[in-house]
Amino acid sequence: MASHTSSIRNIQWPADSVVHYPESKAFTDATIRWSAYKAPNFAAVITPQNEDAIAKTVKIARAARIPFLATAGRHGYGTTLGKLQNGLAIDLSQMKSLEIDKVAATVTVGAGVKIGDVTGPIEDAGYELPCGSCAQVGLIGATIGAGVGVYQGLFGLMIDSLISVRLITADGDIVEASDSINSDLFWAIRGAGANFGIIASATYKLHKAVNNGQVMTADLIYPANLKSAYFDVLQSFEDKMPPELSINTTIAWDSASNATQVMATFIYSGPESQGREVLAPFFELSPPVVRVSVVPYSQVQSTIIFGMLNALSVPGGIHDIFSTNVRKFRVDTLNLAFEKFDAFYKAHPDARSSVGILETFSTHAVTAIPSDATAYPWRDAKGNFMFQMSWSEPGTAEEAANAFARELRHDFAATSGYPELSVYVSYAHGDETLEQIYGKEKLPRLVALKKKWDPDNVFGYHHSLPTEYP
């Protein structure tokens, strides 16, 4: 391990790239992650300015046997990332090119572009793109696991809008991948992309703005005495989620009332009158706190969850996350999870920043794409349920939090409608099986492609695929 530090400092890196070391503020700024829990550790960070510099860096690092990880938004939190210790960070954050072709209805972005960087320019051009709800996440990083998100009912997953990528391989070669060029690689990166290379840029197809780009958003808070009624209504949407609608349910501790509550966030890409009609069953429960507004597409992320998402995206905290996919919304499991969270909060006051985040998005456009079109295996998932554990002091509640989150994951997996645990790779903790992340049916082809494109497992720190299966 120590040899990596000394060798990194003695290497002649590409002249047009900047290198920083741990004793500098620039190093910290270029490596600090949203989650500090089981994070990778670096002996140096290099910031290339273009794809040629990335390719040179990969070749130099491989020749010197220095392990590396490419980073951009630095929001990935799977614990397998922590297997990289004393390595090299390839910081892509400065690669922020963004080009919109209004005639072709496409956008091409550099690896450093975050979701919040692209929504405004796309909106100005009269288009929309499916994306996640956090503006600080890297656009390409969010895409390559599949890109579930609040607009997927209308536009599909983020991978379904991906047209092509330019990628640096394990050998340091620059290749293009699309449906017509390196099509097998393009299939693989749409669901398992972190295993195959460093994407320097990506081109997406854009979608004409819905409802003139105006989106209804609402945040409603339900105290404990309304939780069962809320979950009953949520369950009624299991098979009738309109394409325009997404619902995010958060189980959280409210410090003001010293009680556990449900916060429901609704995003409806249509007229407010229609949205209110669709959501009437939720409003009729008379929650004590209601916020409703109609905002442009580009302002959704800064508006929802009472405008708190930016504050929740501050890097450096502890975020220890487990998850499961569901095809069924079981009211008894939802109520039980609320009660268990309540008991956990009361037993562990230092972990009251932990939350249950239950994403339920329409699958209308997602399931319209054949399952075998991409590597992503869970197109029929109607919910992605996350248990984000957090505590104030290192080690204080870690054991209890991990045990609790695994218990919740087991409870929901048992009633999920899937035969066993299934997990969206971008939400995976790191203790799941390959089948639970990548799907048994997709693994043989994925593994063969891993052996072809990365036989030495250079890209092996984010839920790594093997080169042989089974």
Side-chain angles (χ1 to χ4, degrees):
M1 287 293 185
S3 62
H4 288 161
T5 303
S6 57
S7 61
I8 285 175
R9 289 178 182 265
N10 293 329
I11 285 174
Q12 186 67 44
W13 297 102
D16 53 351
S17 298
V18 179
V19 182
H20 296 289
Y21 300 99
E23 58 268 20
S24 70
K25 181 180 182 297
F27 172 90
T28 301
D29 292 342
T31 58
I32 188 170
R33 304 184 67 81
W34 174 64
S35 177
Y37 186 71
K38 295 190 181 297
N41 174 274
F42 301 108
V45 56
I46 185 168
T47 303
Q49 305 297 317
N50 53 58
E51 64 180 25
D52 289 332
I54 299 173
K56 291 175 184 176
T57 298
V58 168
K59 289 178 179 179
I60 293 169
R62 288 214 64 191
R65 299 192 176 186
I66 296 169
F68 57 84
L69 179 71
T71 68
R74 301 193 294 276
H75 266 248
Y77 49 74
T79 59
T80 61
L81 291 168
K83 293 180 181 178
L84 178 60
Q85 294 293 308
N86 219 29
L88 174 70
I90 302 178
D91 168 37
L92 309 176
S93 65
Q94 300 306 304
M95 297 178 63
K96 286 188 169 292
S97 61
L98 195 160
E99 299 178 12
I100 294 173
D101 186 328
K102 292 181 69 172
V103 176
T106 62
V107 60
T108 299
V109 301
V113 171
K114 297 180 181 180
I115 289 173
D117 297 329
V118 77
T119 51
I122 286 174
E123 176 183 272
D124 291 343
Y127 292 101
E128 293 176 349
L129 182 72
C131 58
S133 53
C134 179
Q136 302 303 315
V137 173
L139 183 70
I140 293 175
T143 302
I144 57 177
V148 303
V150 296
Y151 304 105
Q152 67 178 43
L154 291 168
F155 308 131
L157 302 165
M158 293 173 72
I159 56 171
D160 300 331
S161 292
L162 192 62
I163 295 174
S164 65
V165 302
R166 290 182 63 80
L167 177 145
I168 290 80
T169 69
D171 291 329
D173 297 326
I174 301 172
V175 302
E176 187 171 340
S178 67
D179 278 331
S180 57
I181 303 171
N182 292 313
S183 57
D184 271 359
L185 177 62
F186 191 55
W187 177 87
I189 65 169
R190 290 175 292 167
N195 278 275
F196 294 97
I198 300 173
I199 297 176
S201 63
T203 299
Y204 298 81
K205 66 180 177 183
L206 298 174
H207 307 268
K208 279 293 185 184
V210 176
N211 192 43
N212 295 316
Q214 297 299 300
V215 183
M216 174 189 172
T217 73
D219 293 310
L220 285 66
I221 291 181
Y222 299 84
N225 66 311
L226 291 178
K227 72 166 189 312
S228 296
Y230 171 81
F231 290 139
D232 283 338
V233 176
L234 180 65
Q235 194 282 327
S236 73
F237 278 74
E238 178 186 302
D239 294 318
K240 63 172 189 178
M241 189 82 73
E244 300 86 359
L245 178 65
S246 68
I247 304 174
N248 190 87
T249 303
T250 304
I251 302 173
W253 178 262
D254 176 40
S255 58
S257 62
N258 271 326
T260 304
Q261 64 182 19
V262 168
M263 180 167 62
T265 299
F266 304 96
I267 297 174
Y268 186 81
S269 296
E272 182 181 357
S273 58
Q274 289 182 10
R276 285 186 176 273
E277 183 178 347
V278 169
L279 297 172
F282 292 103
F283 284 91
E284 288 166 0
L285 298 178
S286 299
V289 179
V290 175
R291 181 208 62 79
V292 180
S293 63
V294 176
V295 299
Y297 163 82
S298 64
Q299 294 179 24
V300 169
Q301 290 134 337
S302 61
T303 304
I304 57 173
I305 313 184
F306 298 97
M308 296 189 300
L309 269 180
N310 281 340
L312 296 172
S313 298
V314 173
I318 294 172
H319 304 281
D320 178 18
I321 302 174
F322 295 76
S323 72
T324 184
N325 303 327
V326 302
R327 291 190 290 211
K328 297 288 183 184
F329 307 163
R330 281 284 294 270
V331 173
D332 54 345
T333 312
L334 291 164
N335 278 313
L336 181 62
F338 185 97
E339 297 296 343
K340 287 185 175 182
F341 262 107
D342 187 60
F344 178 80
Y345 292 142
K346 290 171 180 174
H348 301 280
D350 57 333
R352 286 177 176 171
S353 54
S354 301
V355 292
I357 297 180
L358 317 178
E359 296 179 340
T360 48
F361 306 146
S362 170
T363 61
H364 181 77
V366 178
T367 54
I369 304 293
S371 177
D372 61 1
T374 65
Y376 179 63
W378 313 119
R379 287 184 176 271
D380 60 349
K382 296 177 181 178
N384 305 99
F385 291 1
M386 287 180 284
F387 317 110
Q388 298 195 3
M389 311 310 296
S390 184
W391 50 91
S392 54
E393 297 295 333
T396 55
E398 179 176 2
E399 186 175 347
N402 276 301
F404 173 54
R406 286 191 173 94
E407 181 181 336
L408 288 171
R409 185 177 65 179
H410 176 270
D411 290 347
F412 277 104
T415 60
S416 67
Y418 285 99
E420 65 167 331
L421 175 67
S422 67
V423 177
Y424 171 37
V425 62
S426 297
Y427 294 172
H429 180 77
D431 62 342
E432 305 89 349
T433 66
L434 288 170
E435 292 80 6
Q436 289 167 347
I437 295 175
Y438 293 111
K440 188 174 183 179
E441 295 76 15
K442 304 292 180 89
L443 273 169
R445 185 178 179 187
L446 276 173
V447 168
L449 289 166
K450 177 73 170 179
K451 188 172 185 176
K452 175 182 177 181
W453 289 96
D454 185 20
D456 298 324
N457 199 24
V458 173
F459 305 108
Y461 297 105
H462 189 262
H463 310 295
S464 176
L465 288 163
T467 55
E468 300 291 340
Y469 181 82

